[in-house]
Amino acid sequence: MSNHLYTAPLEKSPWPHDKTSNLLFLVDAGTDEERRFLTEWLEKMRPDGASILATNNLAFLGSHGRDDSPSHQSLENQVTYGEERLFVPVRIAWLTDDRSGQRGPRVRDFLFRKVSGPSVVQRKWLLRRSPEKALPIAGRAATLQEMKRKYCNKVGLSPDAPVQATDFADYVARQAILSLEQAERSVNGAHQKLPYFVSRTLQSRKGFRRAISQIGEEQSQTSEEALAEAGEYLKELVALPSEFHVDSFAQLSRFIYSRGYDPNIVHDPADIERLHELAKNHPIAFCWTHKTHVDGIALNALLHEYKFPLPHMIGGINMAFMGVGYLARRSGAVFIRRSFQDNRIYKAVLRHYIGYLMEKRFPISWSIEGTRSRIGKLMPPRFGILKYVMEAARTSNINDLHLIPVSIYYDLIPEVADYAAEQKGHTKRPESLAWFIGYVRGMKKPLGRVSVRFGEPVVVGQDIETKPKYQLGAPTETKDAFALELQKAAFEVAVRINNVTPVTPSAIVTLALLGACPRSLSVEEITQELQDIIGWMRSRGVPLTSDFDDHTEERVQQIADTMIDLGILTRYDEGLSPVYGVAPDQHLIAGYYRNTIVHFMIVRAFIELALVKAAEMPPGQSESVFWDEASRIRDIFKFEFFYSSKEEFREQIQRELDLTEPNWANLINGGTESVNKLLDGMRPLFAHATLKPYIEAYSIVSDGLLQFDQTEPWDEKAFLNRCLKYGKQAYLQRRITSEESIAKLLYTNGVKLAQNFGLIGETSGDLQGRRVAFARELRDIGRRIDNIDARAAQRRHTDIISVREIHSAEDQEDIAV
């Protein structure tokens, strides 16, 4: 920090130039030495003609009050000197050496608490040995009349009503400290903006008290009982951040993720600067993907590096275990109960708390998926937290809430093996301190890089159609309108997350190898596959990581070697040439990485399957069959992927076909030969590599329904366990091609689809006949996927022969020369 900051601010007097009497300096000091220092400074800066400082001109606030600090009794007798009395808050801002260019605080900074200002002992030492590090500052001055007006407005009193001295003094002290925090940030800019006195502020607001009292009355509680209950919930919910804990948690976060990942998170600094400006004028909420336990801490560490206003990360109370929960809560984490559906006071407190954070421009942060994705692709959004955020925005009259889509992605993920075990029916290990220590220890292996991308904000009320204001107890049609708006906002965020999630080397390698399963591929075959896939993606504007900018083969080889070391892939090099494949029992893990990018290829894959169907039709019928089949396939996969509207979906198909073959319309309408010609011109093919696990899993569900006794009561959990066993049998008999199709989540979505088609819980009509028809339809789609698979295999074989013939010809030329 520049030396001029040590002395120049002293020239600015805390004494107002137009008022030197009836002043009250609110001194925020924690030690006698600080009080003396500030008192001497005030005397030094006292203008000519001003009265000498006396006890009725000074009130001491204590040391940096927080929600859990005592009331400021020294003020109680000082707030009755007439409405023209002027309050002037003062404090010492502690200056530290400039460490620009260093990533985050150092370990010794925590030992000596440099990251959040010196300790009490250090402050005494600095005032004696290095007083130039103590910079006196003053916050914004305010008259007693102004403070009383604001206080009465907060608590719902008329401006001329008498006020309770203790509560009013406490309010004045809180406002003084908040003003000093702002002044200190303007001087050194070294701290994140943090919230203070949240619980006290909420409890003093008339809107909060009225809402809680009304709920209490409806539940046969007195107002005092309801407010006391709300106070307990505030203690449970409200984060208590401090600079020291925030900096400590950021350092701990970097330590955790850098054990396995590159400590430099890949991001675009311009994105964060843009969001920083956005957060100054609008409430924002970060809605991020959830692949691993690293997600939230990596995002928070990145934002902390840029001194972003403290994001309040909302998570389940299961993560608030000993040690970590304590530190996280003091770093901005908000832990909510897993279930509170019938607790109206808890819900109201949560809503008002979120509204307060947005009002004060503190970002909200949570996983839009609600849980970690167990199979790689973006999970359907959970509406719970988003519902409370949007309700809080409406209750607080906030009409410019910006939802920020955040894609957090990785080269490799440490928990994938656990996810695969869960999909096979194993029980998830509960979170605890022992679990956390084991998780951190397990991170010590090379996992590549962490990357973060931000999508375009979804502005509630602008990007999402505005609906009537939603309130508790609103008519059904209003609630339905809000529910529709909530759903639109969530899915728009999900779509924008997918749009900015780029293709990684691990994803593209597993895509190629899974498409060939159970066969392994030679280096030549993999190279050709990757060239085709990357070329297709670039021509469609699919985002790729920087790994594909230069030295693509080198970077892909590096990731492949790491996946071999981790046991995900295999390399056999004792034959004529090395071949690569997916390791036994690793298909679910490999599929996880492939699934992170599958959304880019589903339109193309649907086209391929619809074309195979159209190729079986005579001329004149193939076009209508093609469009009908594309629409039907879209419907079958509706619980797996996010779609645009039906009109936009049709346009996407047309754009893809335009890029493939401008004459596609005539070819589709020409019958078998011309449709096959269109298919032969498609390079690469995707249906077999992207959709086979889903169809095979759905077929397991449909076969299970055929065996299900209609007279038995429906038990979904028992049925899913039966599917897991049946899937294992089908794999052993090779009626399904990969263990990737033995996945609990895929079976769950298959059950949802069957319920949506009226195949579960329905007793009317020919239920068994409809189940048989559904099973046949899935088998037909599986047959067409096999058709695409065979075409891809034949193409690889032809390509290799061509490459070898070219190499042979080149060798003959060399020999002749």
Side-chain angles (χ1 to χ4, degrees):
M1 185 169 292
S2 303
N3 286 335
H4 78 277
L5 288 178
Y6 297 159
T7 57
L10 294 175
E11 299 173 2
K12 183 178 180 181
S13 173
W15 294 75
H17 68 278
D18 57 346
K19 185 177 180 64
T20 58
S21 61
N22 203 11
L23 297 176
L24 180 63
F25 289 102
L26 308 177
V27 182
D28 183 28
T31 64
D32 291 338
E33 289 81 359
E34 290 174 85
R35 295 186 187 100
R36 284 196 296 269
F37 182 90
L38 288 169
T39 302
E40 292 172 4
W41 173 63
L42 291 171
E43 276 291 349
K44 176 183 177 181
M45 305 305 293
R46 179 169 57 85
D48 295 337
S51 301
I52 297 175
L53 286 174
T55 55
N56 64 339
N57 298 118
L58 295 170
F60 297 99
L61 305 181
S63 178
H64 297 247
R66 298 292 186 266
D67 267 328
D68 50 358
S69 64
S71 297
H72 301 280
Q73 298 177 355
S74 63
L75 267 177
E76 292 182 21
N77 299 323
Q78 302 272 19
V79 295
T80 57
Y81 278 74
E83 294 191 345
E84 295 304 317
R85 180 152 233 211
L86 190 67
F87 297 130
V88 183
V90 294
R91 167 194 286 182
I92 294 175
W94 298 96
L95 302 174
T96 57
D97 295 332
D98 182 26
R99 300 204 324 271
S100 60
Q102 180 174 318
R103 289 182 58 85
R106 298 163 290 190
V107 172
R108 64 174 178 269
D109 292 334
F110 296 115
L111 298 178
F112 297 103
R113 292 175 60 90
K114 288 183 181 180
V115 292
S116 58
S119 65
V120 171
V121 174
Q122 287 177 313
R123 294 203 297 266
K124 293 180 179 180
W125 186 89
L126 286 172
L127 286 174
R128 290 196 303 267
R129 301 293 184 88
S130 302
E132 73 278 3
K133 302 254 182 176
L135 174 66
I137 59 172
R140 178 183 176 275
T143 65
L144 176 61
Q145 182 181 21
E146 179 184 353
M147 296 302 297
K148 183 179 178 182
R149 184 178 67 252
K150 290 182 177 179
Y151 173 76
C152 289
N153 182 59
K154 290 285 186 184
V155 299
L157 296 174
S158 61
D160 55 349
V163 297
Q164 211 281 335
T166 301
D167 291 344
F168 180 52
D170 198 43
Y171 174 77
V172 171
R174 296 200 308 266
Q175 297 304 307
I177 292 176
L178 292 174
S179 175
L180 287 168
E181 289 289 331
Q182 185 176 7
E184 187 171 351
R185 285 197 303 272
S186 68
V187 169
N188 56 32
H191 306 304
Q192 281 185 295
K193 177 184 174 183
L194 304 179
Y196 300 125
F197 314 111
V198 178
S199 293
R200 292 185 184 182
T201 302
L202 283 174
Q203 288 174 306
S204 67
R205 288 187 168 185
K206 58 183 179 182
F208 178 85
R209 298 177 69 85
R210 183 171 58 244
I212 300 300
S213 297
Q214 180 180 346
I215 295 174
E217 181 180 349
E218 295 170 359
Q219 297 180 163
S220 300
Q221 290 176 289
T222 66
S223 177
E224 291 74 17
E225 290 173 339
L227 289 169
E229 183 178 341
E232 292 302 313
Y233 295 148
L234 283 171
K235 291 179 183 178
E236 179 182 324
L237 284 169
V238 173
L240 300 171
S242 70
E243 295 161 18
F244 175 74
H245 289 105
V246 168
D247 290 343
S248 299
F249 191 70
Q251 184 76 342
L252 175 64
S253 299
R254 293 188 185 97
F255 166 76
I256 291 172
Y257 75 71
S258 62
R259 283 177 63 82
Y261 294 104
D262 187 319
N264 298 298
I265 296 176
V266 180
H267 67 285
D268 185 349
D271 282 344
I272 298 184
E273 294 297 338
R274 173 175 55 85
L275 293 173
H276 216 310
E277 289 301 313
L278 188 68
K280 292 179 181 178
N281 302 306
H282 305 281
I284 66 174
F286 292 106
C287 305
W288 34 273
T289 54
H290 202 5
K291 297 290 190 295
T292 168
H293 287 296
V294 172
D295 300 317
I297 62 174
L299 178 61
N300 269 24
L302 178 62
L303 296 175
H304 177 271
E305 183 180 335
Y306 284 85
K307 302 303 176 186
F308 210 87
L310 182 66
H312 284 64
M313 182 169 61
I314 302 177
I317 202 168
N318 60 302
M319 295 300 295
F321 47 81
M322 183 178 64
V324 174
Y326 175 90
L327 178 58
R329 188 164 182 247
R330 282 153 182 78
S331 307
V334 179
F335 296 109
I336 62 174
R337 298 179 180 182
R338 305 288 287 201
S339 177
F340 50 88
Q341 190 64 34
D342 298 324
N343 193 330
R344 294 178 60 196
I345 292 182
Y346 185 93
K347 290 192 287 186
V349 169
L350 177 60
R351 191 180 300 111
H352 279 270
Y353 178 36
I354 292 174
Y356 173 86
L357 293 174
M358 290 191 291
E359 173 191 329
K360 300 301 180 183
R361 300 295 185 262
F362 288 104
I364 310 296
S365 172
W366 80 96
S367 163
I368 191 68
E369 297 171 276
T371 185
R372 289 170 293 156
S373 173
R374 265 52 176 191
I375 60 173
K377 66 184 180 65
L378 188 64
M379 302 289 287
R382 298 281 183 89
F383 299 145
I385 295 176
L386 180 60
K387 174 177 178 287
Y388 285 100
V389 170
M390 291 177 61
E391 283 180 349
R394 289 170 178 263
T395 302
S396 304
N397 294 317
I398 295 172
N399 56 12
D400 59 343
L401 171 61
H402 286 58
L403 305 175
I404 312 298
V406 185
S407 176
I408 307 173
Y409 52 97
Y410 308 82
D411 287 338
L412 298 169
I413 292 175
E415 294 108 308
V416 176
D418 294 335
Y419 298 159
E422 287 179 35
Q423 291 308 299
K424 293 179 179 179
H426 293 249
T427 304
K428 172 180 173 288
R429 183 183 176 187
E431 290 81 5
S432 64
L433 182 59
W435 163 86
F436 176 74
I437 293 172
Y439 179 81
V440 174
R441 285 177 176 171
M443 289 282 292
K444 196 172 183 181
K445 50 189 174 184
L447 297 168
R449 300 183 297 183
V450 183
S451 304
V452 177
R453 286 195 182 188
F454 301 91
E456 285 299 313
V458 176
V459 184
V460 178
Q462 297 178 27
D463 294 338
I464 306 301
E465 183 180 356
T466 304
K467 299 292 180 183
K469 184 175 179 179
Y470 175 78
Q471 296 177 331
L472 294 178
T476 302
E477 59 270 19
T478 306
K479 287 187 176 182
D480 290 344
F482 175 79
L484 180 60
E485 182 182 5
L486 174 67
Q487 186 179 28
K488 285 183 177 180
F491 279 88
E492 186 62 32
V493 168
V495 168
R496 297 190 187 191
I497 285 175
N498 270 341
N499 289 342
V500 297
T501 301
V503 175
T504 62
S506 56
I508 206 168
V509 167
T510 52
L511 172 68
L513 292 178
L514 285 169
C517 276
R519 298 177 294 274
S520 293
L521 298 181
S522 67
V523 174
E524 298 166 314
E525 289 173 315
I526 293 177
T527 300
Q528 186 63 56
E529 286 280 333
L530 296 185
Q531 287 177 351
D532 290 345
I533 294 171
I534 294 171
W536 180 87
M537 289 179 170
R538 283 179 169 153
S539 67
R540 270 67 176 175
V542 174
L544 301 167
T545 63
S546 58
D547 301 295
F548 300 99
D549 294 343
D550 298 300
H551 309 292
T552 298
E553 292 184 15
E554 178 182 336
R555 180 61 180 157
V556 170
Q557 183 67 55
Q558 180 183 357
I559 294 295
D561 289 341
T562 301
M563 297 181 81
I564 291 170
D565 293 338
L566 294 174
I568 302 171
L569 305 181
T570 61
R571 177 180 59 223
Y572 181 77
D573 51 12
E574 295 184 9
L576 296 176
S577 62
V579 292
Y580 294 80
V582 179
D585 300 324
Q586 297 294 305
H587 293 81
L588 272 170
I589 295 177
Y592 185 98
Y593 295 107
R594 184 274 319 281
N595 288 342
T596 61
I597 63 169
V598 72
H599 55 277
F600 290 120
M601 294 158 281
I602 57 171
V603 171
R604 172 63 172 257
F606 291 176
I607 290 173
E608 294 167 10
L609 294 182
L611 285 175
V612 174
K613 184 78 169 182
E616 298 168 353
M617 298 295 113
Q621 298 182 24
S622 50
E623 182 179 8
S624 61
V625 168
F626 169 80
W627 288 111
D628 289 345
E629 189 62 21
S631 178
R632 179 60 177 173
I633 293 172
R634 178 184 186 272
D635 197 36
I636 286 176
F637 288 100
K638 61 187 173 186
F639 291 104
E640 302 293 350
F641 307 112
F642 299 101
Y643 299 136
S644 53
S645 66
K646 290 183 178 180
E647 294 75 15
E648 174 62 21
F649 177 73
R650 189 180 180 99
E651 292 175 4
Q652 289 173 339
I653 289 178
Q654 291 172 338
R655 286 196 297 270
E656 173 60 32
L657 288 170
D658 284 338
L659 290 170
T660 303
E661 169 56 63
N663 191 38
W664 62 268
N666 291 329
L667 290 175
I668 288 179
N669 203 36
T672 301
E673 185 176 348
S674 61
V675 174
N676 279 325
K677 181 180 179 181
L678 179 58
L679 265 172
D680 291 339
M682 289 185 167
R683 192 181 190 106
L685 295 169
F686 289 120
H688 64 298
T690 56
L691 300 180
K692 181 179 284 189
Y694 301 96
I695 285 297
E696 289 187 341
Y698 286 6
S699 294
I700 295 296
V701 171
S702 69
D703 289 348
L705 287 175
L706 290 176
Q707 303 300 321
F708 185 77
D709 187 349
Q710 299 181 38
T711 62
E712 293 181 18
W714 173 252
D715 184 339
E716 183 170 326
K717 183 177 181 181
F719 181 78
L720 291 174
N721 288 333
R722 188 182 303 176
C723 287
L724 287 169
K725 296 174 182 178
Y726 180 47
K728 179 66 174 178
Q729 175 190 339
Y731 176 68
L732 292 173
Q733 294 177 314
R734 292 303 185 264
R735 289 189 288 109
I736 59 175
T737 59
S738 168
E739 287 187 302
E740 190 184 356
S741 304
I742 311 172
K744 190 174 183 179
L745 185 58
L746 296 187
Y747 296 151
T748 300
N749 288 342
V751 168
K752 289 179 181 178
L753 182 66
Q755 289 172 328
N756 182 260
F757 286 174
L759 303 178
I760 297 174
E762 296 283 341
T763 57
S764 60
D766 183 10
L767 178 60
Q768 192 68 4
R770 286 186 281 119
R771 287 177 175 176
V772 169
F774 179 59
R776 286 174 176 169
E777 181 179 21
L778 293 177
R779 289 196 186 97
D780 183 65
I781 296 175
R783 177 186 60 80
R784 281 179 272 151
I785 289 176
D786 290 340
N787 183 298
I788 297 295
D789 192 1
R791 290 171 185 265
Q794 179 59 38
R795 187 173 294 172
R796 280 193 296 270
H797 179 70
T798 303
D799 289 342
I800 291 303
I801 292 176
S802 299
V803 168
R804 288 174 179 170
E805 287 177 348
I806 292 172
H807 289 170
S808 177
E810 291 174 347
D811 292 341
Q812 291 298 324
E813 290 179 5
D814 292 340
I815 292 172
V817 170

